[in-house]
Structure formats: C-alpha cells, structure tokens
C-alpha cells in the first residue's frame, strides 16, 4: 500500500510503501517524472536519480514481496543543491547516500532514521535541514519547469528566463539530469498519464497533453514508460496503484 503527503516545503512529498502481506500482486514500474528521491529501504539510505525510462523494482525475499520503504521526493531541480551533486551524475541510478557523502553526515542521517519510531518523519526532518542549509530553490529553475510543463517550446522557455538554448541545456543537465527537451517529454507524459488515470479517452488525452495524435502518445508511452496505454490504464485502475515517478525503489 502506497501513501504520500505534502511536506512543509513546497515541491517536497513524503511517501511510504508498506509491503504486501502476500505475493502474486502486480509489479508496478517506476516511471520517469523528473523527480529525485531520498530513500530508506531495508535499513539502507540511498538516492534515486532522475529516470529517462521505466524502472522495475526488484523483488525481495523468497516470497517475492517488496520491502517496506519510506522516501522523500523532490520536484525537478530541488535535490541537486541538497545533495551537492549535479543531477546528471545520478541519472538512471540508485546510489547509497554514503557514496555521495562519505563522511559522518550520511551515517548520522541513517542512524537517526534507523532509531526513529517514525522513519518517514525522521527522513523528512533530515532532508529539510539539508534544504535549509542549501537555501531556497533557484526561481529560474522553477520557471523553466513551469514553462516546459505548460507545453511551451524550449526556445521560448529559454528566452523567457534570459538564457540561450545552449546555456539552458547546461543548466538543465545539472539541475534536472537531462536537457530541457527530455524534461519536456517526461513532463508531457506525466500530463497524459494523469488524464489516462482520470479515464479520459486516449485521443482526447493526446490532444490535451500536447501530442500530435494518439499514435504519438502511444509511442512515447511505450518508449518512456515501457507500457502500452492499455497496460498503464489497467495498472492505474488496480486496487493499490503506485506513484508514477522515481519513488518506489532503491
């Protein structure tokens, strides 16, 4: 069972996933969403970088069930300042936090979370402390995400924030893990999948989300999500759907 709640800081979500009591349920793929996560799974503290394709969580244990997990998910562009690592270095990766922070900082967070009666709250508190030290998110990056999520062309977004397309590409690699065109594709897919979850017909979904047609939507869904539209709709309508982003495995 997956649950999430908004944190006290805008752009941050705290989530928990409880392992099923029995096996045989569906394995939910983790779909690209531009986000990054700080994860606590099986006594391991790790980071999930921004994904460019679907990631299928590995099964754990003889029964094939998942390990309980908690996480803090950061909207695109927020996590690199907290971690001190450019996002492109973590693209399509799951990395132990102690590999990024080999000193006492990573060990201290792990010990705090391990000792907490509420690991999710402890992980959130640690993340918010680091965010406070890093300072507020760059408003330019938020404007880039907002523009791309609204379906604006990359060149128009670059001009609106006072950057050339090359500079925007470099900034995007550090902040989001990939260039603005890829981020725009990921955000467009998320807009489309939200409509699919709301049972909007595929052809209408394609138009509203910004695709050329339903066939274009279907190709992008297969390429980025590794699923057909029908397969995604079936998962979305299942009893305990998982989130679409990077937040459910290490």
């Amino acid at each position: 069972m997956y649950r999430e709640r908004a944190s006290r800081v805008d752009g941050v979500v705290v989530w928990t996933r409880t392992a099923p009591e029995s096996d045989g349920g569906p394995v939910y793929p983790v779909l690209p969403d531009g986000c990054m996560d700080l994860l606590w799974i099986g006594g391991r503290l790790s980071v999930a970088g921004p994904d460019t394709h679907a990631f299928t969580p590995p099964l754990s244990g003889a029964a094939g069930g998942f390990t309980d997990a908690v996480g803090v998910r950061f909207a695109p562009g927020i996590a690199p300042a907290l971690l001190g690592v450019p996002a492109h270095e973590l693209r399509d990766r799951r990395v132990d936090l102690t590999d990024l922070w080999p000193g006492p900082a990573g060990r201290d967070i792990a010990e705090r979370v391990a000792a907490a009666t509420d690991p999710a709250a402890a992980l959130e508190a640690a993340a918010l402390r680091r965010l406070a030290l890093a300072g507020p998110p760059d408003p330019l990056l938020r404007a880039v995400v907002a523009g791309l999520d609204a379906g604006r062309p990359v060149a128009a977004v670059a001009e609106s924030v006072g950057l050339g397309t090359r500079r925007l590409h470099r900034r995007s690699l550090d902040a989001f893990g990939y260039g603005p065109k890829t981020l725009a594709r990921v955000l467009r897919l998320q807009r489309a999948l939200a409509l699919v979850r709301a049972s909007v017909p595929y052809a209408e979904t394609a138009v509203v989300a910004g695709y050329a047609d339903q066939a274009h939507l279907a190709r992008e869904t297969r390429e980025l999500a590794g699923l057909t539209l029908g397969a995604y709709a079936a998962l979305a309508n299942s009893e305990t759907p998982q989130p679409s982003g990077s937040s459910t495995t290490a």
Side-chain angles (χ1 to χ4, degrees):
M1 177 67 69
Y2 174 85
R3 294 185 177 87
E4 67 177 42
R5 62 172 174 80
S7 177
R8 301 190 300 274
V9 174
D10 185 35
V12 179
V13 171
V14 182
W15 58 266
T16 61
R17 189 199 68 211
T18 304
E21 295 181 358
S22 61
D23 61 344
V27 178
Y28 295 95
V30 178
L31 306 187
D33 62 357
C35 298
M36 297 174 63
D37 292 69
L38 186 60
L39 308 169
W40 178 255
I41 302 176
R44 174 188 171 200
L45 192 61
S46 61
V47 175
D51 289 326
T52 59
H53 52 77
F55 179 86
T56 301
L59 296 175
S60 62
F66 295 111
T67 302
D68 288 355
V70 301
V72 178
R73 185 167 69 246
F74 303 96
I78 294 179
L82 176 149
L83 298 171
V85 178
H88 66 83
E89 294 187 8
L90 300 173
R91 184 173 55 236
D92 294 320
R93 299 177 64 195
R94 273 68 180 159
V95 180
D96 283 347
L97 186 64
T98 52
D99 290 340
L100 302 180
W101 299 343
R107 294 194 302 271
D108 178 67
I109 295 175
E111 291 170 358
R112 287 174 181 265
V113 176
T117 56
D118 185 347
L123 189 62
E124 177 189 17
L128 295 187
R129 284 195 297 269
R130 295 289 303 193
L131 278 176
L133 293 174
D138 187 342
L140 182 147
L141 298 178
R142 300 187 73 165
V144 169
V145 174
L148 296 176
D149 196 29
R152 299 181 64 193
V154 170
V157 172
E159 182 178 2
S160 71
V161 297
L163 296 177
T165 54
R166 290 185 179 181
R167 286 187 62 197
L168 176 60
H169 185 82
R170 291 194 295 269
R171 291 286 296 272
S172 295
L173 288 177
D174 287 345
F176 311 125
Y178 26 66
K181 289 185 178 180
T182 299
L183 179 61
R185 289 179 66 201
V186 167
L187 295 175
R188 181 176 60 184
L189 179 67
Q190 287 296 326
R191 294 197 301 273
L193 296 183
L195 294 171
V196 171
R197 292 194 296 273
S199 300
V200 176
Y202 298 154
E204 182 179 350
T205 290
V207 173
V208 173
Y211 292 92
D213 51 30
Q214 182 176 328
H216 184 200
L217 167 61
R219 289 194 302 272
E220 286 286 277
T221 303
R222 286 194 299 269
E223 184 170 343
L224 293 176
L227 296 167
T228 65
L229 283 168
Y232 179 79
L235 283 176
N237 292 326
S238 64
E239 184 176 357
T240 56
Q242 296 293 314
S244 56
S246 60
S247 58
T248 57
T249 188

